[in-house]
Amino acid sequence: MSDPTEPRGDAPDRNDLDADVAIEEPGAVASGVPSPGTTSTPATGDEVEPPSRWHTMLRQISTGNAIISVLSVLLALLVGAVMIAFTDERVQAASGYFFARPGDTFVAIWESVSGAYSALFQGSIYNFRRDTFAAGIRPLTETLTFATPLIAGGLGVGLAFRVGMFNIGGRGQMLIAASVAGWIGFAVDLPMGLHMLVALVGGLLGGALWAGIAGLLKARTGAHEVIVTIMLNYVAFYLVSWMLRTPGLLQAPGSSNPKTPAMKETAIFPQLLGPQYNLHFGFILVIAATILVWWILSRSSLGFKFRAVGENPNAARVAGINVSSMYVYAMLIAGALLGLAGVSQVLGTVTTGFTAGIDAGIGFDAITVALLGRSTPWGIFVAGILFGAFKAGGFSMQAAEGVPVEIVLVVQSLIVLFIAAPPLVRTIFRLPDPKAGPKRPRPIVTKEVDAK
């Protein structure tokens, strides 16, 4: 009679094996070397230890959209550094005798790139060469001034993106808003404070109504907003150009130039830090607009409907959402935000009269800002400040180091290129793919089983 404690040669039950774990060879048992005639098989019922919070946080950061935006900016700056080095005369001269004295070439490259980006910093953030802090901080105020219309325009474009609409009519909406606010600013007599408020509201309504045309056409006829907004850009430009050449409309009295009169003092935005800086009340308005858009998208029922329509308009329609109305509402709000960009230009930045070029390409730059900010309000806010720094520092680079200002435009374009190709950025920096979930650790706990 056999001993009941003696190991049997029977195969283990199928339920005792985990199909996901391979049978390990003898000697893999952590407790020691198994006896001859036994093999190790995985034991069941063992729970896999979940990943740590640090591991989860690092994965969320490496697969998030924010890291793609940051790395896109770094890549664009790196490519910009290469272009700066290639176009620098000192680098070209030193490369002529590279094989004789290679160190001179590398020194020249370092001096050209570091000098250019140092000038960019001192022209956009803080100028260490100034004697006082008040003078040194002026570049930062210029950055915020340039960023003011970019943030407002980016919010308008980004809001439309969230509803699934591509609003590229920022130029036309800015021009109409600037014309309405500008006309109220120089042709109407009102008390201080009230005059500015009326001009501001008039400009917002002008931009909203001009964008609302595209939203209404899309809602009623299905017309694509890209085509409509492009055409409205041309209509607005030639309409404003005609009014600037017509006495009694926008043209300054007694002048043949296509330019408006100066804005009245009662309609101009007040300066935030005094007359020695250009930063004006428009920056406070874009901060308020950023908070408002964040609240609409994140905390209101209207924002929920916007996001639902943007994700799937058919499913939103089945859920009872009036998709056509959402298109109209979204374009009205987007047009008002871009109208704020136009108003800040004529009542804050250019108060001596404006021409048909008052938009200064901001309507199209707003698309870049919205893309970099991932169509989120605070992301757009940060992206607007970054591009404002590029605008403010680009002139300093050109003046101090002789770097062509077009290189800054190339850097901005490269940022959009890298943002539009996240797989490229992930491949360069070896980031994990967010679509591929974290791998489940495989248990290595084993169980000794007799081998026949």
Side-chain angles (χ1 to χ4, degrees), residues 328-404:
V328 177
Y329 294 156
M331 288 303 293
L332 287 173
I333 299 175
L337 291 168
L338 280 153
L340 177 60
V343 172
S344 67
Q345 284 289 92
V346 298
L347 299 184
T349 305
V350 185
T351 60
T352 57
F354 64 90
T355 64
I358 188 63
D359 66 290
I362 295 171
F364 292 103
D365 290 340
I367 300 175
T368 307
V369 172
L371 289 173
L372 180 59
R374 297 290 177 178
S375 298
T376 61
W378 295 110
I380 291 172
F381 186 84
V382 175
I385 293 178
L386 175 64
F387 275 70
F390 283 153
K391 286 182 175 291
F395 300 107
S396 178
M397 288 174 60
Q398 186 178 31
E401 299 294 327
V403 178

Side-chain angles (χ1 to χ4, degrees), residues 77-127:
L77 291 175
L78 180 61
V79 176
V82 175
M83 297 181 62
I84 291 171
F86 270 98
T87 56
D88 188 82
E89 295 181 355
R90 293 169 296 179
V91 176
Q92 295 174 357
S95 62
Y97 54 90
F98 174 79
F99 293 102
R101 295 168 61 184
D104 290 356
T105 303
F106 292 114
V107 170
I109 291 175
W110 168 254
E111 290 178 350
S112 64
V113 174
S114 61
Y117 283 147
S118 176
L120 177 66
F121 179 85
Q122 295 188 48
S124 59
I125 304 299
Y126 188 83
N127 191 348

Side-chain angles (χ1 to χ4, degrees), residues 258-292:
K259 185 178 179 180
T260 68
M263 304 297 110
K264 294 182 178 180
E265 291 292 332
T266 53
I268 295 176
F269 286 162
Q271 301 293 327
L272 292 182
L273 301 176
Q276 68 271 26
Y277 302 106
N278 294 323
L279 187 63
H280 51 77
F281 182 67
F283 183 68
I284 302 298
L285 292 177
V286 298
I287 294 177
T290 304
I291 297 174
L292 177 62

Side-chain angles (χ1 to χ4, degrees), residues 205-232:
L205 289 176
L209 293 176
W210 197 255
I213 297 174
L216 185 63
L217 289 176
K218 182 178 180 64
R220 298 300 182 186
T221 67
H224 202 287
E225 71 278 2
V226 172
I227 304 300
V228 176
T229 50
I230 288 176
M231 294 299 102
L232 288 176

Side-chain angles (χ1 to χ4, degrees), residues 171-172 174-176 178-180 210 232-252 255-260 354-359:
R171 184 186 188 190
M174 283 187 61
L175 285 173
I176 296 300
S179 300
V180 175
W210 197 255
L232 288 176
N233 281 341
Y234 286 101
V235 173
F237 175 75
Y238 289 111
L239 177 62
V240 172
S241 297
W242 170 73
M243 289 191 292
L244 286 169
R245 288 181 170 86
T246 303
L249 293 179
L250 291 179
Q251 190 179 46
S255 174
S256 59
N257 296 325
K259 185 178 179 180
T260 68
F354 64 90
T355 64
I358 188 63
D359 66 290

